[in-house]
Amino acid sequence: KRWALLGALALLALPLPASANGGISTIGTDSVTLPFASGVTNGLLSGSPALAVTLPGGVALVPIMDTGSAGMVVTTDLYKPPVGQSPIATNIVQAYASNGVMFTGDVYETQVQIGGGASTALATVPLLVVPNTLGTPGNPGVQCIPNATCTLPPNLSWKFMGVGFGETTSSTTNWGGLSTTARNPLFNIFQINGQAASPSLGWILSSTGITVGLTAANTDRKSTRLNSSHLVISYAVFCLK
């Protein structure tokens, strides 16, 4: 599966999801374009792009972003839940088949800000908080998946945001019954730029950011229709049908 968010985005071409009558299947009115905080130079992708995230207490992070998984994971050297907050699920495991690493910790319902500057969104998400210690099977911490080739992250420190629509069982061991939709931060936005919002469950990738929420305007088929003269594709659209 892919580690980082479409590093070769300029070469990617995906069809727009359509309904039986030929229209876009998931349409709304709320939308925001969240600018990439890294991976872009002079408006062009120069690496694996990522979004800025601010956790409670003003903890600012730029987590690795992945389209092959869903859910936010952070180690305790970077963020600790407020004293007295109880987890909604305990001993939860997130395993990544791509690097052979398994993270075990507790899940806390957390309000996060995504984006920065004039384009921000607030979302309530289940956040998997993992001790940045070497774990053992069945116990919290960071460890290799049993019988897998593994490269542990430096200092066992980890910040990760999966924004995908699904994943294989080899990537996730369990999330306490939470679906990929429930875990995806881009699908749990309730406020855009200070105003209540309910964007549709879809997003558009471009070379400078992610537009969350599909609308009639930003999914105009004319803007993504391809022919043999197109050498570079500027963006792709993803949504839940």
Side-chain angles (χ1 to χ4, degrees):
K1 82 179 183 64
R2 289 166 292 183
W3 259 113
L5 175 66
L6 298 178
L9 179 59
L11 301 178
L12 177 67
L14 292 178
L16 287 174
S19 64
N21 62 7
I24 304 302
S25 59
T26 306
I27 283 292
T29 57
D30 296 328
S31 181
V32 61
T33 298
L34 303 171
F36 290 133
S38 66
V40 176
T41 303
N42 297 324
L44 298 174
L45 289 177
S46 56
S48 297
L51 296 170
V53 171
T54 303
L55 300 177
V59 177
L61 304 172
V62 181
I64 298 170
M65 193 155 54
D66 177 42
T67 60
S69 65
M72 295 187 66
V73 182
V74 65
T75 46
T76 53
D77 59 312
L78 301 174
Y79 175 75
K80 293 181 180 178
V83 175
Q85 182 180 5
S86 299
I88 61 174
T90 59
N91 211 37
I92 297 302
V93 176
Q94 172 72 54
Y96 299 103
S98 52
N99 70 345
V101 181
M102 182 166 68
F103 298 85
T104 305
D106 296 338
V107 174
Y108 295 83
E109 187 174 86
T110 306
Q111 182 174 296
V112 302
Q113 176 182 289
I114 307 170
S119 295
T120 61
L122 292 181
T124 299
V125 300
L127 177 67
L128 177 57
V129 181
V130 179
N132 67 310
T133 56
L134 189 62
T136 57
N139 294 300
V142 183
Q143 61 187 292
C144 294
I145 298 173
N147 303 315
T149 301
C150 169
T151 301
L152 293 174
N155 302 315
L156 303 179
S157 182
W158 191 249
K159 52 184 185 293
F160 200 84
M161 182 166 69
V163 297
F165 292 80
E167 56 195 356
T168 64
T169 55
S170 63
S171 297
T172 300
T173 304
N174 77 74
W175 261 76
L178 292 169
S179 68
T180 54
T181 301
R183 288 158 22 210
N184 190 327
L186 300 185
F187 292 166
N188 290 279
I189 290 172
F190 65 89
Q191 188 180 103
I192 292 175
N193 296 330
Q195 301 295 318
S198 182
S200 62
L201 303 187
W203 38 260
I204 302 170
L205 298 178
S206 73
S207 61
T208 57
I210 295 183
T211 299
V212 181
L214 305 184
T215 67
N218 65 29
T219 53
D220 178 2
R221 281 179 178 268
K222 294 189 294 296
S223 62
T224 53
R225 188 169 291 135
L226 309 178
N227 58 47
S228 59
S229 67
H230 287 83
L231 299 180
V232 175
I233 308 308
S234 61
Y235 66 85
V237 182
F238 299 78
C239 82
L240 285 180
K241 296 183 70 175

